[in-house]
Amino acid sequence: MNPFVAALLVIGTVVLMELGAYALHRWVMHGWGWGWHKSHHEDHDHVFEKNDLYALVFAGISIGLFALGTWVPLLTWIALGVTIYGALYFVFHDGLVHQRWLFKKPPRKGYLKRLYQAHRLHHAVDGKEGAVSFGFLYAPPVDVLKKDLSERRSALRDDTGDAQPPSRNLH
């Protein structure tokens, strides 16, 4: 395969993975898949959480695509894009944002700070409702997320008549 086409397939897959991860995170993980994802929104002191099962599912998909790439070489490049996305997720989401390994301090400037703040805002609500910022590598501007979070909290309060849901420490 032409190296330029292969590179486009890999990069395109990484971009599509972020779009797919946004949708999966918003409508599956915070929907019918909350049973696994809930562990990610709870404090714990163990290495693994039930939410890590999602990583195993995507690893299985990537392995399957690599295996199918034996017969359809195009799928090998797509599998590589899925794998690269998984590695980026592991470094930036688990390592940087949640400090499960590697990073020990939050970033203080630039895009990494914005990514960190955006995901902390995602965790600012208890439960699956009212969260913002569902992407893993793309972070909307923090001021936009704060406004959205405030509006979602107001909407939840209006829907239930209850007081505003408690917020978590945002660091």
Side-chain angles (χ1 to χ4, degrees), residues 113-136:
K113 177 181 179 182
R114 184 167 129 186
L115 184 65
Y116 178 85
Q117 290 175 320
H119 201 72
R120 298 309 300 167
L121 287 169
H122 173 75
H123 284 268
V125 298
D126 288 330
K128 66 181 181 175
E129 302 296 331
V132 296
S133 189
F134 292 92
F136 294 115

Side-chain angles (χ1 to χ4, degrees), residues 21-80:
Y22 174 95
L24 182 74
H25 190 193
R26 183 161 189 176
W27 292 292
V28 174
M29 292 177 178
H30 281 255
W32 59 266
W34 181 249
W36 284 6
H37 190 60
K38 180 181 177 185
S39 66
H40 183 65
H41 286 265
E42 298 174 334
D43 293 332
H44 58 80
D45 60 356
H46 43 278
V47 176
F48 294 107
E49 52 193 45
K50 200 170 191 178
N51 183 69
D52 293 332
L53 292 170
Y54 284 111
L56 292 177
V57 169
F58 282 107
I61 290 169
S62 185
I63 290 166
L65 287 170
F66 274 118
L68 291 172
T70 304
W71 296 283
V72 184
L74 173 96
L75 295 178
T76 299
W77 300 108
I78 293 171
L80 183 58

Side-chain angles (χ1 to χ4, degrees), residues 101-120:
W101 66 281
L102 188 60
F103 299 96
K104 296 299 176 197
K105 293 182 181 179
R108 303 215 183 275
K109 60 183 178 177
Y111 186 75
L112 294 181
K113 177 181 179 182
R114 184 167 129 186
L115 184 65
Y116 178 85
Q117 290 175 320
H119 201 72
R120 298 309 300 167

Side-chain angles (χ1 to χ4, degrees), residues 5-25:
V5 173
L8 281 178
L9 274 171
V10 171
I11 292 167
T13 299
V14 171
V15 170
L16 287 175
M17 284 295 296
E18 176 66 2
L19 296 172
Y22 174 95
L24 182 74
H25 190 193

